[in-house]
């Protein structure tokens, strides 16, 4: 009987071992469900902190522009002070939500499916997944190949930010800086 319990415990651990693909599919499911808080929680915490730090350019803007920025991204009742209280996940989820609202206004984005075609390991703790994404924008259907990178943390995996996401703070900073001139 004690061996049966030991075998069951081992099988349970094997069954619950998360792969990079598992995490990526969970992330894409969260996006498809428009659950941006859960999607943001799939990212590497260090990268969320770095993203937030890069976004803090808004604190250097004139007060009226800060208010416009904060309320545009996080909602009409938000203030710089309330945004300071957000966790890095909540902050990123707010930006994620803003970006998706903008995309929806441009015709709406629907995620039709993600297929993981393969995985390339980089050492023991980084995995790059080649994906085929099917997205529709209004009546237009698009199929695109993408590389999604993940980092192993403990027994699980966390999403790494793609270059276009990492570059968003610099792009926004440039837009807001130009608008002030």
């Amino acid at each position: 009987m004690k061996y049966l319990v030991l075998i069951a415990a081992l099988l349970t651990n094997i069954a619950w071992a998360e792969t990079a693909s598992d995490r990526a599919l969970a992330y894409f499911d969260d996006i498809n469900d428009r659950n941006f808080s859960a999607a943001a929680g799939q990212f590497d915490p260090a990268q969320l902190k770095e993203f937030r730090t890069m976004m803090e350019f808004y604190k250097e803007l004139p007060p009226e522009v800060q208010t416009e920025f904060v309320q545009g991204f996080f909602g009409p009742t938000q203030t710089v002070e309330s945004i300071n209280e957000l966790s890095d996940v909540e902050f990123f989820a707010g930006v994620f939500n803003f970006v998706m609202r903008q995309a929806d206004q441009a015709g709406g984005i629907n995620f039709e499916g993600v297929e993981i075609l393969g995985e390339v390991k980089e050492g023991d703790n980084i995995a790059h997944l080649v994906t085929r994404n099917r997205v529709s924008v209004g009546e237009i259907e698009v199929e695109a190949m993408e590389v999604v990178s993940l980092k192993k943390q403990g027994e699980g995996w966390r999403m790494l930010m793609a270059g276009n996401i990492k570059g968003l703070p610099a792009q926004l900073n440039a837009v807001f800086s130009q608008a002030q001139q």
Side-chain angles (χ1 to χ4, degrees), residues 54-75:
M54 292 186 317
M55 285 291 289
E56 289 185 345
F57 70 85
Y58 76 88
K59 292 181 178 180
E60 305 299 320
L61 299 171
E64 65 279 358
V65 180
Q66 278 183 19
T67 299
E68 178 184 330
F69 178 90
V70 166
Q71 291 179 350
F73 274 84
F74 300 98

Side-chain angles (χ1 to χ4, degrees), residues 23-41:
R23 177 64 66 166
L25 290 172
Y27 167 74
F28 287 118
D29 284 345
D30 290 340
I31 292 174
N32 191 45
D33 294 342
R34 299 265 196 271
N35 188 346
F36 303 122
S37 294

Side-chain angles (χ1 to χ4, degrees), residues 51-117:
F51 181 87
R52 184 177 190 154
T53 299
M54 292 186 317
M55 285 291 289
E56 289 185 345
F57 70 85
Y58 76 88
K59 292 181 178 180
E60 305 299 320
L61 299 171
E64 65 279 358
V65 180
Q66 278 183 19
T67 299
E68 178 184 330
F69 178 90
V70 166
Q71 291 179 350
F73 274 84
F74 300 98
T77 62
Q78 299 301 314
T79 64
V80 172
E81 293 77 22
S82 67
I83 298 309
N84 287 337
E85 299 300 317
L86 296 178
S87 70
D88 294 338
V89 169
E90 292 167 327
F91 184 89
F92 188 74
V95 174
F96 213 149
N97 191 28
F98 170 81
V99 169
M100 294 307 288
R101 282 193 325 262
Q102 297 302 306
D104 286 343
Q105 289 178 359
I109 290 183
N110 293 306
F111 296 94
E112 307 295 333
V114 174
E115 182 181 359
I116 296 176
L117 303 175

Side-chain angles (χ1 to χ4, degrees), residues 20-22 24-25 116-120 127-131 146-150:
S21 293
D22 293 337
L25 290 172
I116 296 176
L117 303 175
E119 179 177 324
V120 177
H128 306 284
L129 305 178
V130 178
T131 65
E146 182 179 4
V147 174
V148 177
S149 300
L150 297 98

Side-chain angles (χ1 to χ4, degrees), residues 169-180:
Q171 292 172 345
L172 290 170
N173 190 0
V175 167
F176 277 89
S177 294
Q178 247 182 358
Q180 292 182 56

